[in-house]
Structures are given as C-alpha cells and as structure tokens.
Amino acid sequence: MIDPWQFKPFVVSVEITRQCNLRCPFCYAGAPFEKSENPHMPLTLFYKILDDLDALEPFSVFIGGGEPFLHPNILEIIEATVSRDYSIMLSSNGTMITENLVKKIKDIGIDGGIQVSIDGLRETHDRLRGVPGTWDRAIFAVKILSQNDIATSVGTIISKENISEIPKLIEIVEEAGATVLHLMLLMPTKNFRGDEYDRLRPTPDQIAHLYAWLKEHEKDYDIDIDYGNIMFNFDKLYDVANRDDPLSKVLQPLYSGCAAGTTEIVITYNGDVIPCELFRDSEWVVGNVREQPLSEIWYHSKKLSEFRRRKQDVSALHHPCNTCEFKQLCMGGCPAASYWYYGDISYPDPLCPRVAHAEQIQAKIKKHGE
C-alpha cells in the first residue's frame, strides 16, 4: 500500500501558455507556432493555483510554456508568485526579453532567476529552433539579464547536431554572463519519437565522451556546469549509496529515481495536471485544477500512485535494471522516455548506457510508435 501523504511536491511547474514563436521539432509541450484560440492561462486560474499551493507548500514555482513572455499578463503572474514568498524561476527562449522588460522584472524581484534556452552555436541553434536570428536574441537576453543582476542560467538540449559544440558554447555563455549551464539530453515525446528521435539523439559513445571531457575540464570554467543528467551518473550514485553520513541520507531521496508525481508536478495552460512535462497524452492527465484543488489531485490520484509505487518497488522493472546494483537509487531512469520509446513505463530508460548493450531491450526498440 502506497501512502500518498508521505509525498510532497518540491517544485510545481505551471505552463501559463501553449503559444510559442519558435518551431522546435522536439518541443515536449507541442507548442504551436501559429496563434491559436485562447492559448493563455487566464489570470483567475493562475491565482486559483496559487491559492491551491497553500495546502501543499512547495519550495518553488517554475513558470514555463510555450514561451511564457508571450503571455499578456506575465508581469502580474511573476508579481503574484513573488508576493506569496515562493521561489520562482522562469524558462524562456529569450527572444521576447528586452531591456525595458528586464528592468520591470528586476523591480518586482525574482530569486530563482531565468533560464534561457540555447541549443548550440549560432547556425545549429537557429536550425534546431526553426527561426533565423534566434541565437543572437537569446545571447542578448543572457547579457542584459546578467547585467541587471538577475540570476541567469542557460539550458541546452544535447543532440547529435550540437554535442561537438558544447566546449565552445560553455565559453560563449560564460562570457555572456550566465552563472549556470544546464545540459540535458534530448528526450522522446509524443510528437517526437521513433526514427525522428533516433536521427537526432546522440549515441551512447558520444555521450560518454562528452561526459568524460566535462569531468576533466569543468574546473577550467567559472560557470557552474550541471551535467549530471546527460549520462547515468554511476559514480555519483555509487558515492551516495555507499555513504552513511547525515548529508548522504538527505541526498539519497534526491537521487532516487524520477521526480514525476513524487516531488514534482506540472499544470498545463488549460488546468490539466500531468506527472511531468513529457507525459503529453490524455492517458496521463491526472486531474484538472478548474475542477479539483491541486492538493486533492496530488493526494488521491491513482495514476500518481503508479509513479510512487515505481519509486518504492523496483521488482517489476525489466532487465538490465532488475539486476543493476544501482536499481534502488536510479529506479529505471525516466519513465516518460520508457513510455514514448517502448510504450511501457516499467521498461528501462533507453538513454542508459547499460541498456544500450542489453540485447533483450534492443529487440523491443522502435516497436512503440512505428
């Protein structure tokens, strides 16, 4: 029996719009380039969500989209969140960020900062994002945000097209003023899977090479490079799993499997609640905050219980996870990647290097979504 009351959200992500001005083929939100009818979350609904959060008391609210700066009430949304004393962070493609807007954001105050998406050097980024000139505008956004003392990070999705550009990109975003670079692997989604996904995803050998390079050279930079998620961090898992000091006891839950539905939750622009941003399918909508308080959904959803059970019981995982020494910490990796790649969240994460060499899993690859 899973006790839902032992789980509490650390981060609540709110997607305030489905509208976007770019054309990324791998967009997990499926945000349309064309304008659509009622693409924005109404302010009244956002205020209701803030009221609902009082019962859950998350540490942080993450504002995303779509492109959140396309929302006509973005400043009111930021101000309302800050007034509730939540740590707030926004994710943006940077194209809508101007000097005037930055000054207004600075006056409101935003402790968590703003993450700007930059997926490689100029030509590669503009090709992946589908709109010429996007890279220059994103770099400009990083510069003016950092110049105004707003915590500025860069988020980079690693693909086959940009993996060789990462060393140079580190230098560029550090010089622009970013204090953190988050490196994330390209993930399969509902609208981006099968052959299309395989064409862009880096090989296990490419990932391992980059990971080794980062471990050797990260000390050469002042910028904090967050790359733990680009490869299954076996050395960190081993270190945490085998230490008995108080700090490691605190860290172990953070390294224990996926956060979806256990420490994180996502609310889409229309109020739908999903375990994480990658579960874009009616099957995975666990409720709607227009109809139920978020706390009621969080504590009583049967779907969320599946994720909590997965985090507590690894016996149902498939090979090679069920024989891996890190199964109690890793717990099969990302269930969304497993679902969109194999059609089953109990299968191992397809991005794990150990899975790449497991013949039993390879035989099932591509069956889902063909």
Side-chain angles (χ1 to χ4, degrees):
M1 176 70 71
I2 302 297
D3 179 11
W5 297 95
Q6 67 180 294
F7 296 94
K8 191 173 182 179
F10 184 77
V11 178
V12 173
S13 296
V14 185
E15 298 175 350
I16 60 173
T17 180
R18 73 185 299 262
Q19 186 176 334
C20 189
N21 55 344
L22 301 186
R23 298 169 174 164
C24 311
F26 46 79
C27 177
Y28 58 74
F33 179 78
E34 298 80 11
K35 290 185 179 180
S36 57
E37 187 177 355
N38 302 322
H40 307 304
M41 177 179 285
L43 263 182
T44 52
L45 179 57
F46 185 80
Y47 293 153
K48 179 183 184 303
I49 291 170
L50 288 181
D51 290 339
D52 288 351
L53 294 185
D54 291 342
L56 292 172
E57 298 181 326
F59 171 76
S60 178
V61 176
F62 188 90
I63 304 295
E67 169 50 48
F69 286 105
L70 286 172
H71 196 293
N73 305 113
I74 181 61
L75 293 176
E76 291 96 325
I77 286 171
I78 295 173
E79 190 167 18
T81 308
V82 169
S83 70
R84 300 293 188 101
D85 293 326
Y86 290 117
S87 175
I88 177 175
M89 184 174 184
L90 281 87
S91 177
S92 170
N93 61 36
T95 61
M96 304 297 295
I97 296 177
T98 64
E99 292 187 50
N100 183 51
L101 177 63
V102 169
K103 289 177 182 177
K104 293 178 180 179
I105 294 173
K106 183 178 181 180
D107 289 341
I108 295 173
I110 175 172
D111 61 344
I114 296 177
Q115 177 178 291
V116 179
S117 300
I118 302 179
D119 291 333
L121 304 184
R122 181 183 283 108
E123 182 180 343
T124 302
H125 174 89
D126 284 1
R127 183 172 61 252
L128 289 171
R129 294 279 164 173
V131 178
T134 303
W135 189 87
D136 289 316
R137 292 158 72 184
I139 292 294
F140 174 75
V142 173
K143 289 180 178 179
I144 60 171
L145 286 166
S146 61
Q147 288 167 4
N148 282 272
D149 299 319
I150 295 174
T152 310
S153 60
V154 168
T156 299
I157 297 176
I158 298 174
S159 68
K160 200 173 287 183
E161 294 199 13
N162 66 16
I163 193 166
S164 64
E165 300 177 352
I166 299 304
K168 182 62 177 177
L169 182 64
I170 295 172
E171 296 178 9
I172 292 173
V173 299
E174 180 179 63
E175 184 178 353
T179 56
V180 181
L181 172 62
H182 299 285
L183 297 176
M184 302 160 282
L185 282 178
L186 183 70
M187 303 294 286
T189 66
K190 180 178 181 179
N191 299 313
F192 182 73
R193 49 182 165 158
D195 291 340
E196 189 178 17
Y197 170 67
D198 284 338
R199 181 181 64 81
L200 273 183
R201 76 163 177 159
T203 67
D205 286 343
Q206 286 178 312
I207 297 170
H209 178 77
L210 176 62
Y211 185 80
W213 185 90
L214 289 166
K215 288 196 69 175
E216 180 180 355
H217 294 283
E218 64 176 327
K219 61 183 180 297
D220 300 335
Y221 302 94
D222 292 328
I223 189 172
D224 181 15
I225 307 171
D226 170 23
Y227 62 97
N229 288 331
I230 75 163
M231 183 174 178
F232 280 65
N233 202 341
F234 291 121
D235 53 353
K236 176 63 72 174
L237 288 171
Y238 183 84
D239 179 59
V240 173
N242 288 276
R243 290 169 60 186
D244 197 37
D245 59 279
L247 177 59
S248 290
K249 292 296 184 184
V250 173
L251 288 175
Q252 281 176 6
L254 299 180
Y255 283 92
S256 298
C258 173
T262 58
T263 58
E264 296 181 12
I265 199 74
V266 175
I267 305 171
T268 69
Y269 80 102
N270 66 357
D272 282 344
V273 180
I274 52 179
C276 90
E277 62 271 12
L278 295 175
F279 278 103
R280 303 279 163 173
D281 193 74
S282 58
E283 178 183 352
W284 297 104
V285 174
V286 299
N288 190 292
V289 292
R290 295 175 185 267
E291 303 166 359
Q292 296 172 275
L294 182 61
S295 57
E296 184 176 320
I297 297 170
W298 177 265
Y299 288 120
H300 300 290
S301 165
K302 293 181 179 179
K303 280 288 184 183
L304 293 182
S305 293
E306 292 184 34
F307 291 87
R308 294 158 188 172
R309 187 175 297 107
R310 187 179 191 271
K311 195 157 186 172
Q312 291 189 335
D313 181 10
V314 297
S315 62
L317 290 174
H318 289 266
H319 181 79
C321 294
N322 54 9
T323 57
C324 179
E325 64 267 37
F326 300 115
K327 62 184 178 183
Q328 295 294 341
L329 286 172
C330 172
M331 296 184 178
C334 174
S338 303
Y339 179 73
W340 294 120
Y341 208 66
Y342 308 116
D344 189 336
I345 67 171
S346 69
Y347 274 93
D349 191 318
L351 297 172
C352 175
R354 296 189 175 187
V355 172
H357 300 290
E359 293 182 2
Q360 298 94 325
I361 292 297
Q362 289 299 304
K364 297 181 181 295
I365 286 180
K366 297 183 183 177
K367 283 190 176 180
H368 184 63
E370 281 191 340

